[in-house]
Amino acid sequence: MSDTKKTNPKIIIAVDGYSSCGKSTFAKAIAARLGYIFIDTGAMYRAVTLYALEHGAIRSGMVDEEAVVKLLGEISITFRFNPQRGASDIYVNGDLVEGKIRTIEVSNCVSQVSAIPEVRHKLVAMQQEMGRRRGVVMDGRDIGTVVFPDAELKLFMTADPKVRAERRYKELREKGMEVSLEEIERNVRERDKADMSRAVSPLRQAEDAIVLDNSHMTVDEQMTWFLDRFARVTRQHPDR
Ligand code: DC
């Protein structure tokens, strides 16, 4: 494996797709395998949402878009590698927020916050800067279409909504959160709808993306599938 790491060409791998279909888990595994940097762009939209919740720009689930835009100038997002997790933790203005951004409160408001053009503008510019040197795996909704339309390898991940809801339910319950499966399934379906129908950078499959439906695949099976694609793509880009 160290050999693979040494000789790996540095390309951009865009992992887009529906919510809760294991994009981050898979993107993180790919990055570890290739010695690439992993960037979870959903965490960035979640961090802005959390900040808005904590600073009065979202009250009783209602997002005040103007107030969110006003807060944007005071939000600085950074990532720091956490060797224990084998991935980077997200910080807002120097505060670690990794554990706070995945609650159902944030999940319920994040689609609306991420549809605000100014929010997207700021975060997309940050993501483009992070991937400037290539050698990154970036997961999100618009990576292959907007952030890096020239990414050498684009995956579009999908899975049955019921399977996705069950996976997220298990994950949140394991973290001790009190949630119901119905509530999670509703959130998954609503976010899909909102992400696909927003005016700015809606979730859609890039024309040159490869679809990966992982409803019935383990991470190991997905990895085997992926490494085959990676080898094919990098043969076409010997210069990278
Ligand atoms: O991947 P996730 O579920 O943590 O993402 C949270 C939300 O952020 C998702 O509902 C849509 C939004 N998002 C986005 O609009 N664009 C991205 N590149 C990543 C996430």
Side-chain angles (χ1 to χ4, degrees), residues 10 32 39 42 70 113 141-142 171 186 207 212 230 236:
K10 299 283 180 222
I39 298 159
K70 275 199 193 127
V113 170
R141 303 293 190 287
D142 59 342
E171 188 185 306
R186 199 177 329 117
E207 273 175 21
L212 171 60
F230 180 77
Q236 291 162 10

Side-chain angles (χ1 to χ4, degrees), residues 86-106:
S88 295
D89 287 335
I90 189 162
Y91 290 75
V92 172
N93 298 341
D95 293 333
L96 176 65
V97 294
E98 189 61 45
K100 292 205 269 179
I101 58 169
R102 309 207 187 264
T103 61
I104 193 81
E105 288 74 25
V106 171

Side-chain angles (χ1 to χ4, degrees), residues 7-205:
T7 55
N8 270 329
K10 299 283 180 222
I11 63 166
I12 291 183
I13 302 171
V15 183
D16 289 307
Y18 296 103
S19 61
S20 306
C21 61
K23 291 189 303 296
S24 297
T25 308
F26 187 51
K28 197 168 27 164
I30 295 174
R33 181 71 183 244
L34 301 178
Y36 275 28
I37 293 168
F38 159 62
I39 298 159
D40 174 358
T41 63
M44 298 167 77
Y45 290 95
R46 286 174 178 275
V48 171
T49 306
L50 175 72
Y51 194 86
L53 276 163
E54 289 179 343
H55 290 80
I58 303 175
R59 287 179 202 272
S60 314
M62 299 292 290
V63 179
D64 177 342
E65 298 193 1
E66 263 178 51
V68 175
V69 172
K70 275 199 193 127
L71 288 177
L72 272 182
E74 61 188 68
I75 302 177
S76 160
I77 295 176
T78 46
F79 285 97
R80 260 179 250 162
F81 190 72
N82 175 346
Q84 273 165 341
R85 260 189 354 109
S88 295
D89 287 335
I90 189 162
Y91 290 75
V92 172
N93 298 341
D95 293 333
L96 176 65
V97 294
E98 189 61 45
K100 292 205 269 179
I101 58 169
R102 309 207 187 264
T103 61
I104 193 81
E105 288 74 25
V106 171
S107 295
N108 281 338
C109 303
V110 66
S111 282
Q112 218 184 319
V113 170
S114 62
I116 303 172
E118 289 86 346
V119 171
R120 301 208 73 81
H121 187 78
K122 175 175 169 130
L123 298 190
V124 166
M126 278 184 69
Q127 291 151 13
Q128 288 171 333
E129 179 56 28
M130 289 173 186
R132 205 164 42 87
R133 295 191 187 165
R134 306 189 107 72
V136 296
V137 186
M138 205 173 271
D139 94 71
R141 303 293 190 287
D142 59 342
I143 311 304
T145 51
V146 175
V147 183
F148 286 108
D150 64 339
E152 290 86 350
L153 181 49
K154 300 179 185 177
L155 305 183
F156 191 84
M157 288 181 66
T158 175
D160 186 297
K162 275 199 183 310
V163 174
R164 290 191 271 139
E166 274 160 21
R167 286 180 188 158
R168 173 122 320 183
Y169 175 73
K170 215 174 132 225
E171 188 185 306
L172 294 180
R173 292 299 288 227
E174 275 165 11
K175 285 184 187 162
M177 293 185 200
E178 278 299 319
V179 283
S180 72
L181 184 57
E182 292 71 33
E183 185 183 11
I184 300 289
E185 195 176 331
R186 199 177 329 117
N187 174 262
V188 162
R189 289 184 190 273
E190 279 170 5
R191 279 203 291 145
D192 284 353
K193 213 166 122 201
D195 293 347
M196 285 188 291
S197 58
R198 68 171 172 240
V200 192
S201 314
L203 167 66
R204 64 177 175 84
Q205 188 189 325

